[in-house]
Amino acid sequence: MADDKDGREKQARNEDDRQRRRDVEAELERGDEPEPEIDAADLDDVEADLESLEFPATGAEIVAAIGDRDIGPSDERYTVEQLVPETDAVVFDSPDRVRVRIQRPTVAAAMKRIVELSETLPDEKLGGSQYDAYEKTFFELQRLSPDDDDEAIGVVRDWVVDRIRDKEKLPTSRQIRRQAAKICREEGHQIRNDDWLGI
């Protein structure tokens, strides 16, 4: 590969793609997280549709192609459109990345709400490492308080939404982690210093 601007940009994109794949694999292998809310078998309706899409694909492209597809167990169904942000700012590099997202509908719906609202901000967009930190915070809330019907996720989501509306800016990754830790402690959950929320 040539050592010029295009070559360096291609190397950077390739490294980003490799990192995303590693992140997805790590997400799938983590044993300390709660089981996904939607079993892989309940994704059968969208499997073939996901595989037929060309990746990387934006959230908007996925919603346009398969947004009306239902997923989930028969007693609690979701559409892909309810779980994937309809924006070009969120890019999925593989079908696996979409699967990981939609298997946890509570987290996915919270992230969708925040991402789409952040699109209204004039100078900020939720992406990259900040997006990953928000999502990881919601996963930790789900792990630390699995018996509260994801109420903590809703409380933190609403806090972020209020901050975006009132201050017209996104809370930092550290601020959302602090707020999530505060909610967990108020519910009586112990947070160790080495936990994601233990800051």
Side-chain angles (χ1 to χ4, degrees):
M1 188 175 307
D3 187 20
D4 57 14
K5 183 179 178 187
D6 290 341
R8 287 189 297 276
E9 287 176 352
K10 184 170 182 357
Q11 284 179 319
R13 282 193 306 274
N14 289 343
E15 179 54 36
D16 285 346
D17 289 345
R18 286 190 293 274
Q19 182 60 48
R20 284 190 195 102
R21 281 193 283 284
R22 287 191 296 267
D23 291 345
V24 168
E25 289 166 7
E27 190 73 42
L28 294 171
E29 293 173 3
R30 285 187 60 162
D32 62 341
E33 289 184 0
E35 289 297 311
E37 298 168 65
I38 296 179
D39 191 87
D42 291 320
L43 297 177
D44 288 345
D45 294 344
V46 296
E47 282 296 322
D49 294 327
L50 278 176
E51 294 297 334
S52 70
L53 295 175
E54 187 175 321
F55 286 88
T58 66
E61 291 169 337
I62 291 168
V63 169
I66 62 170
D68 61 341
R69 304 301 192 281
D70 285 333
I71 59 170
S74 58
D75 61 332
E76 192 169 3
R77 304 289 285 175
Y78 300 88
T79 62
V80 171
E81 183 175 24
Q82 291 174 298
L83 305 176
V84 174
E86 192 169 352
T87 175
D88 291 331
V90 176
V91 178
F92 296 89
D93 65 340
S94 70
D96 286 337
R97 185 77 169 157
V98 180
R99 282 186 206 97
V100 167
R101 176 73 44 76
I102 63 180
Q103 277 189 286
R104 299 181 195 280
T106 308
V107 172
M111 289 301 297
K112 173 184 170 65
R113 176 83 173 101
I114 291 168
V115 168
E116 290 180 352
L117 186 59
S118 75
E119 295 277 299
T120 65
L121 296 174
D123 300 323
E124 289 188 87
K125 298 293 178 250
L126 181 60
S129 61
Q130 187 177 25
Y131 181 98
D132 294 340
Y134 273 45
E135 188 174 55
K136 187 171 182 178
T137 299
F138 286 124
F139 283 144
E140 279 297 294
L141 283 169
Q142 197 170 49
R143 183 183 72 80
L144 288 170
S145 55
D147 299 328
D148 75 349
D149 295 325
D150 295 322
E151 186 176 309
I153 291 173
V155 171
V156 173
R157 178 205 59 221
D158 292 345
W159 177 83
V160 173
V161 165
D162 289 343
R163 294 285 300 250
I164 292 170
R165 286 186 177 145
D166 296 344
K167 298 186 181 283
E168 294 188 352
K169 65 183 290 186
L170 289 162
T172 66
S173 302
R174 188 173 187 84
Q175 288 171 329
I176 190 175
R177 287 168 56 196
R178 279 189 176 153
Q179 185 65 20
K182 176 183 170 188
I183 299 298
C184 285
R185 288 185 180 109
E186 287 173 358
E187 292 181 358
H189 299 291
Q190 296 296 318
I191 299 175
R192 298 185 323 251
N193 288 340
D194 62 341
D195 282 338
W196 172 251
L197 300 180
I199 56 174

